């Protein structure tokens, strides 16, 4: 089954789809080993990982597409991608969709912010006119080659124009053909209920620790009516806290022994990154080569 088809089925399933956020190949391996059915990778975490910088539109489309290609090459899991504002006008949006499809993503979202964008939980956002966003969505839908590729429309209008306007935009984007909708940064559970009740499409919730929206677990969001929930930056925040503590201890004590109970060791890490499997494959190929060489010599 294509990853796009599998992802669409997960979105349309009765239970909510829980997406952990990854930002590189190592966190993707860990998410896969934890048993998740799909993952997401957003611009916020990727910008932090690649640039050590905030999510204010500093990474370009090609950089993001390259990052997604590396992730999709590593896993069979569906990867849900962040296409930012589409990186320009309708022609840029079409090129973005084609590049992301070549990378292997199972779905993507495009947002209605003015470029350069900001993280959805930052202040000072601006949004484009609804008609301009509809044009981008039409371009994205026409550009996709796989009809099962999920294209989600995100609106950041809640912070700029209010909830009613944000819901109205989402309803319009659904009319334009968006498969899913994402009203970013609602401020209360009641707002979340309105979003899911008034938008006739699967909706995504976004859990950003310390962000503007109430932090609800997957079961609570499922009960509200969300089809999918992403935790896009939790891994980045956990890594930042753990590594900062590790480096402080190392600087203070000149050793990592005091942190050993919070680390994996050499052998365990080799298992995480698949060394045992690769060594087994190498031995298998070597055995095949020796067997073929023996047969070749016998014929002589």
């Amino acid at each position: 089954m294509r990853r796009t088809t599998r992802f669409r089925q997960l979105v349309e399933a009765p239970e909510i789809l829980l997406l952990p956020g990854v930002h590189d190949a190592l966190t993707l391996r860990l998410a896969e080993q934890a048993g998740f059915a799909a993952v997401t990778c957003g611009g916020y975490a990727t910008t932090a990982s690649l640039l050590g910088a905030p999510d204010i539109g500093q990474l370009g489309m090609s950089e993001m597409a390259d990052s997604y290609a590396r992730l999709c090459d590593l896993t069979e899991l569906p990867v849900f991608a962040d296409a930012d504002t589409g990186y320009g006008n309708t022609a840029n949006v079409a090129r973005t969709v084609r590049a992301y499809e070549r990378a292997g993503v199972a779905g993507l979202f495009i947002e209605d912010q003015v470029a350069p964008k900001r993280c959805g939980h930052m202040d000072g956002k601006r949004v484009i006119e609804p008609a301009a966003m509809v044009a981008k969505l039409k371009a994205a839908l026409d550009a996709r080659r796989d009809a099962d590729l999920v294209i989600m429309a995100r609106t950041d209008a809640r912070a700029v124009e209010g909830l009613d306007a944000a819901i109205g935009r989402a309803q319009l984007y659904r009319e334009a053909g968006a498969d899913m909708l994402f009203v970013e940064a609602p401020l209360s559970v009641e707002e979340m209920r309105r979003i899911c009740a008034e938008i006739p499409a699967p909706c995504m919730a976004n859990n950003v620790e310390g962000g503007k929206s109430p932090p609800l677990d997957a079961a609570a969001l499922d009960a509200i009516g969300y089809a999918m929930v992403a935790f896009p930056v939790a891994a980045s925040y956990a890594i930042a806290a753990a590594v900062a503590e590790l480096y402080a201890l190392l600087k203070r004590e000149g050793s990592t022994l005091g942190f050993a109970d919070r680390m994996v060791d050499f052998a365990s890490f080799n298992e995480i990154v698949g060394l045992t499997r690769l060594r087994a494959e190498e031995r298998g190929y070597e055995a095949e080569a020796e067997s073929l060489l023996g047969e070749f010599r016998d014929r002589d």
Side-chain angles (χ1 to χ4, degrees), residues 17 132 185 207 290:
L17 174 59
N207 267 348
E290 290 295 332

Side-chain angles (χ1 to χ4, degrees), residues 114-135:
V114 171
K117 55 76 57 78
R118 300 183 182 210
C119 163
H121 291 257
M122 292 179 182
D123 295 327
K125 296 186 293 182
R126 295 181 296 148
V127 291
I128 61 177
E129 290 299 317
M133 179 62 175
V134 168

